[in-house]
């Protein structure tokens, strides 16, 4: 696959493979894929390969055998009951919890870790609110690389922490939030201690493009009106935009769906700038939310995410912790789909935007639910009723469940 790494801001070509920002203007990096060999083909031609990230290998900047755990190929549920509850024509949920480590991060990590191996790196690392660290730890194990993960102290859900430890990463909690951890891991990368696999590494969003490709594939290339993403560090919604633009450039699709981003109320710098029509944003100093995965005040791909939303006619909105938990439980109890709080932000966002009349009842909407409910069992248990207790007799159990 031919490609060029470029600065997204000034267009400068980047030769040094270890940079995470433009040496001239400090802009974020992106990858230009050379796709001209696909002119005259159709996305149907890709269907001979199994569904998953590597069905879309033409769109991935990788030339070697991928380090893969068979990521992607996750279900797209037609949530009829929830759609009826909300009064919406169609509501699909793309359930990314079904990935190998239980979140969408595996899509970017198969590409990112394969890239690390291509470059001959021995140590990989990231800052994370949890899922990136779980995913990186698993792919590093598969690739035989050492792995270091930096987590915000006390704010990582237990399932994610367990995964990173289980897969053998060196797990370091730092005294600060995700934004602090990202600053530190960048420093470690710059001094050559590790190869950084946060989403500022432009190879990561390339893998995450497959999420959008797959949604269209599963809808038989009939475009939904809107795709809704929870937004934290803001790379995933940007990856969707990049994916859709590439298919548009090939003439594989015409219109783009309205890309819609949902942040948690206590961590919503992009929602504030969207409200004022601004291209840039002011970071939030002390981000807070129950949805710890998106507890981020200074999203690294924030400007790119805003572009994705403006360019497709989408919106950005913020939801409260209460709205997130209500949406999480509604999805679970109505549709049998278990997602973590950050993922439920997309569902909560749909409800909010419908109530405000910003999503029309006739729309066909896809919500991306990014991680599995088991990632954060403590929040679930804290928000459920009590477990019933009985002695070990049928009679007593009958008494307890009928009271
Ligand atoms: N949902 C989940 C479950 C996440 O873990 C994340 C990000 C997001 C949504 C937001 O995606 O950052 O691309 O806007 N988690 C990162 C991590 C920050 O470290 O695991 P984004």
């Amino acid at each position: 696959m031919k490609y060029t790494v470029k600065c997204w801001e000034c267009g400068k070509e980047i030769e040094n493979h270890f940079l995470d920002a433009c040496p001239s203007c400090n802009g974020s990096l992106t990858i230009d894929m050379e796709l001209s060999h696909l002119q005259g083909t159709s996305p149907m031609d890709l269907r001979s390969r199994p569904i998953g990230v590597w069905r879309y290998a033409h769109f991935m900047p990788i030339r070697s055998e991928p380090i893969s755990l068979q990521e992607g190929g996750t279900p797209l549920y037609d949530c009829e009951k929830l759609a009826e509850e909300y009064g919406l024509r169609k509501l699909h949920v793309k359930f990314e919890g079904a990935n190998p480590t239980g979140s969408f991060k595996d899509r970017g990590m198969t590409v990112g870790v394969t890239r690390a191996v291509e470059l001959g790196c021995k140590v990989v690392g990231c800052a994370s609110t949890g899922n990136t660290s779980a995913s990186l730890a698993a792919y590093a194990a598969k690739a035989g690389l050492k792995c270091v993960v930096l987590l915000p102290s006390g704010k990582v859900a237990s399932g994610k922490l367990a995964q990173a430890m289980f897969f053998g990463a060196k797990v370091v909690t730092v005294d600060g939030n995700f934004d602090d951890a990202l600053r530190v891991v960048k420093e470690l990368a710059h001094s050559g201690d590790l190869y950084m696999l946060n989403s500022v590494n432009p190879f990561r969003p390339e893998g995450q493009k497959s999420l959008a490709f797959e949604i269209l594939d599963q809808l038989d290339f009939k475009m939904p009106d809107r795709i809704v993403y929870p937004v934290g560090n803001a790379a995933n919604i940007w990856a969707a935009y990049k994916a859709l633009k590439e298919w548009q450039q090939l003439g594989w699709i015409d219109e783009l769906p309205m890309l819609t981003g949902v942040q948690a109320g206590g961590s919503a710098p992009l929602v504030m700038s969207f409200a004022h029509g601004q291209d840039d944003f002011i970071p939030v100093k002390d981000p807070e939310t129950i949805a710890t995965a998106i507890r981020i005040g200074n999203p690294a791909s924030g400007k790119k995410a805003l572009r994705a939303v403006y360019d497709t006619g989408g919106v950005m909105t913020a939801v409260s912790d209460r709205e997130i938990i209500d949406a999480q439980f509604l999805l679970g109890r109505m549709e049998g789909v278990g997602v973590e709080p950050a993922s439920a932000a997309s569902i909560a966002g749909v409800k909010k935007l419908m109530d405000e009349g910003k999503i029309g009842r006739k729309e066909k909407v896809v919500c991306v639910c990014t991680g599995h409910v088991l990632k954060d069992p403590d929040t679930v248990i804290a928000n459920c009723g009590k477990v019933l207790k009985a002695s070990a007799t049928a009679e007593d159990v009958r008494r307890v469940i009928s009271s």
Side-chain angles (χ1 to χ4, degrees):
M1 310 306 147
K2 282 195 184 155
Y3 62 87
T4 326
V5 181
K6 279 188 172 168
C7 172
W8 181 70
E9 302 270 0
C10 75
K12 183 186 168 74
E13 270 194 38
I14 309 293
E15 307 283 344
N16 180 340
H17 300 298
F18 295 93
L19 295 180
D20 56 61
C22 175
S24 303
C25 74
N26 204 34
S28 70
L29 306 184
T30 189
I31 294 181
D32 263 11
M33 294 298 302
E34 163 58 50
L35 298 172
S36 56
H37 63 289
L38 292 173
Q39 289 294 345
T41 62
S42 105
M44 291 292 281
D45 299 335
L46 306 179
R47 284 196 171 169
S48 54
R49 293 190 191 215
I51 192 157
V53 173
W54 297 101
R55 172 177 281 187
Y56 313 102
H58 290 292
F59 300 86
M60 302 298 153
I62 289 297
R63 300 183 180 119
S64 55
E65 192 55 35
I67 306 292
S68 173
L69 293 168
Q70 300 182 27
E71 49 291 315
T74 57
L76 183 70
Y77 295 124
D78 186 351
C79 293
E80 288 183 352
K81 286 199 275 180
L82 191 57
E84 198 182 324
E85 170 80 14
Y86 284 174
L88 191 60
R89 181 162 155 221
K90 206 64 162 162
L91 180 60
H92 279 101
V93 164
K94 180 68 170 160
F95 180 51
E96 286 294 289
N99 274 297
T101 75
S103 86
F104 74 97
K105 302 288 180 181
D106 297 342
R107 296 178 180 274
M109 225 40 101
T110 180
V111 173
V113 170
T114 305
R115 179 63 183 159
V117 172
E118 280 183 353
L119 290 171
C121 302
K122 300 284 176 252
V123 187
V124 290
C126 68
S128 179
T129 55
N131 281 322
T132 302
S133 69
S135 183
L136 180 57
Y139 283 83
K142 173 88 177 166
L145 304 177
K146 292 203 170 97
C147 177
V148 180
V149 303
L150 272 59
L151 309 177
S153 168
K155 292 290 180 181
V156 174
S158 59
K160 306 172 190 183
L161 184 63
Q163 284 178 296
M165 294 167 76
F166 172 72
F167 289 121
K170 283 211 161 86
V171 178
V172 185
T173 62
V174 301
D175 188 13
N177 58 32
F178 169 83
D179 305 303
D180 298 312
L182 185 60
R183 175 177 46 77
V184 176
V185 86
K186 276 185 184 171
E187 254 182 75
L188 293 171
H190 296 165
S191 53
D193 292 274
L194 50 81
Y195 181 66
M196 185 177 56
L197 277 165
N198 278 95
S199 55
V200 287
N201 180 324
F203 287 76
R204 279 266 321 274
E206 292 301 304
Q208 288 171 203
K209 290 187 306 191
S210 64
L211 213 175
F213 292 149
E214 245 177 61
I215 290 172
L216 300 192
D217 213 329
Q218 288 169 313
L219 293 173
D220 285 327
F221 311 108
K222 289 187 197 83
M223 192 60 69
D225 296 301
R226 187 183 299 273
I227 307 182
V228 186
Y229 280 80
V231 173
N233 214 25
N236 209 24
I237 193 167
W238 154 253
Y241 176 67
K242 190 167 188 293
L244 294 160
K245 290 296 272 189
E246 287 175 1
W247 279 22
Q248 191 182 43
Q249 185 193 325
L250 284 169
W252 286 7
I253 54 174
D254 301 323
E255 300 282 296
L256 302 194
M258 293 175 272
L259 291 175
T260 296
V262 186
Q263 295 198 288
S267 315
L270 302 180
V271 178
M272 276 186 248
S273 45
F274 178 82
H276 296 103
Q278 291 155 349
D279 299 331
D280 208 346
F281 63 94
I282 301 166
V284 168
K285 241 183 156 224
D286 295 306
E288 208 41 85
T289 168
I290 198 165
T292 51
I294 53 173
R295 183 176 170 270
I296 295 174
N298 187 14
S301 300
K303 281 173 83 174
K304 287 172 164 168
L306 285 166
R307 170 81 64 84
V309 172
Y310 287 129
D311 235 42
T312 57
V315 290
M316 294 270 337
T317 193
V319 289
S320 68
D321 284 359
R322 185 71 261 155
E323 289 168 323
I324 287 174
I325 297 299
D326 286 350
Q328 184 192 22
F329 275 75
L330 194 64
L331 180 65
R333 293 185 174 183
M334 202 168 252
E335 298 285 351
V337 180
V339 306
E340 66 167 288
S343 310
S346 61
I347 305 280
V350 167
K351 171 154 179 22
K352 177 150 191 210
L353 291 168
M354 286 199 69
D355 290 347
E356 292 172 356
K358 291 181 186 152
I359 291 183
R361 293 186 176 280
K362 293 208 169 123
E363 285 191 22
K364 291 185 193 166
V365 177
V366 177
C367 272
V368 177
C369 284
T370 41
H372 201 285
V373 65
L374 292 176
K375 290 282 192 173
D376 190 355
D378 304 322
T379 303
V380 170
I381 291 168
N383 284 284
C384 284
K386 283 205 184 92
V387 174
L388 305 173
K389 286 194 176 131
S391 59
T393 63
E395 194 189 3
D396 203 36
V397 172
R398 214 171 283 127
R399 177 189 64 78
V400 163
I401 60 178
S402 63
S403 61

